[in-house]
Amino acid sequence: KSFADEFRVGIYADVGTGKTIMAIALHKYKRASRGSRALVIMPPILLHQWAATLRKTGEDSIVIYAGTPAQRKALSLDAEWILVAMEIFKLDFERIYTELDPHRLTVIVDEAVSIKNPESENHKSLHDFIFHSLLLAQSRRKRKAQKKAVKEKSQKLSATAESKKAALLKALGGK
């Protein structure tokens, strides 16, 4: 059994040891054997760095899922590699979950320390995404209830983000 055949894999290494290249190679193996796509969740500062590294490895089907809500809505998620910041992942949880086939998806989290705390919204969102993707056989009623729960989670995360934004603007003297 290969390292890449495992359900979950962690790459723990020091800065500069090639974790990004290892993750890319891992996904390329999974894609070749199962036809999966990759969703890479990371800090926003790494989006363009990841895209550049992917291009250096011959990848060209890349979407950097970022921008304003209108810009993100206009983006197609039909790519081999979808790169997204954690905050945008949480804000657009419902769309990402609905449009990507989680059963044929490799999820990579760069800077996984952002999901370390099980009480954090980052951890809960990623857990919900992966947990829901594992429910392979469901009745239509369960699926509908699950979609409703995902939508409610997305709305809650959006409301939380908006209230944090408003508080920050207020603290900075804005309206």
Side-chain angles (χ1 to χ4, degrees), residues 97-134:
Y97 180 79
T98 303
E99 290 188 31
L100 299 179
D101 179 1
H103 308 113
R104 302 187 67 80
L105 190 65
T106 300
V107 178
I108 299 168
V109 181
D110 195 338
E111 299 295 338
V113 70
S114 69
I115 60 166
K116 183 178 176 182
N117 179 356
E119 299 302 317
S120 72
E121 287 299 319
N122 292 353
H123 179 90
K124 290 175 183 176
S125 295
L126 188 63
H127 176 271
D128 287 351
F129 186 84
I130 293 169
F131 174 73
H132 289 305
S133 72
L134 295 177

Side-chain angles (χ1 to χ4, degrees), residues 11-174:
I11 301 173
Y12 306 98
D14 290 330
V15 173
T17 55
K19 294 182 296 293
T20 301
I21 295 296
M22 287 186 246
I24 291 168
L26 177 87
H27 172 64
K28 284 186 173 199
Y29 173 86
K30 286 185 177 250
R31 181 176 63 198
S33 63
R34 296 189 201 123
S36 71
R37 298 186 310 156
L39 173 68
V40 188
I41 304 168
M42 68 195 78
I45 196 165
L46 298 178
L47 290 168
H48 293 283
Q49 181 180 329
W50 258 88
T53 302
L54 285 165
R55 287 185 190 97
K56 287 178 187 175
T57 65
E59 296 292 330
D60 60 0
S61 180
I62 304 164
V63 168
I64 297 177
Y65 189 76
T68 66
Q71 290 168 330
R72 293 192 312 268
K73 188 175 183 178
L75 288 172
S76 169
L77 295 179
D78 187 23
E80 293 293 326
W81 294 87
I82 298 97
L83 312 179
V84 63
M86 178 60 82
E87 291 304 315
I88 300 296
F89 171 75
K90 293 186 300 188
L91 287 172
D92 291 3
F93 182 90
E94 182 180 356
R95 177 184 181 199
I96 293 168
Y97 180 79
T98 303
E99 290 188 31
L100 299 179
D101 179 1
H103 308 113
R104 302 187 67 80
L105 190 65
T106 300
V107 178
I108 299 168
V109 181
D110 195 338
E111 299 295 338
V113 70
S114 69
I115 60 166
K116 183 178 176 182
N117 179 356
E119 299 302 317
S120 72
E121 287 299 319
N122 292 353
H123 179 90
K124 290 175 183 176
S125 295
L126 188 63
H127 176 271
D128 287 351
F129 186 84
I130 293 169
F131 174 73
H132 289 305
S133 72
L134 295 177
L135 302 176
L136 302 176
Q138 301 175 8
S139 70
R140 182 175 263 176
R141 188 179 82 232
K142 282 185 179 179
R143 182 74 178 149
K144 187 174 181 180
Q146 186 180 41
K147 280 187 175 183
K148 181 180 177 186
V150 167
K151 185 174 183 175
E152 289 170 358
K153 173 81 171 177
S154 176
Q155 289 170 341
K156 180 181 174 187
L157 289 171
S158 293
T160 301
E162 286 300 316
S163 66
K164 287 180 182 179
K165 181 180 172 184
L168 181 60
L169 286 172
K170 185 176 180 181
L172 294 172

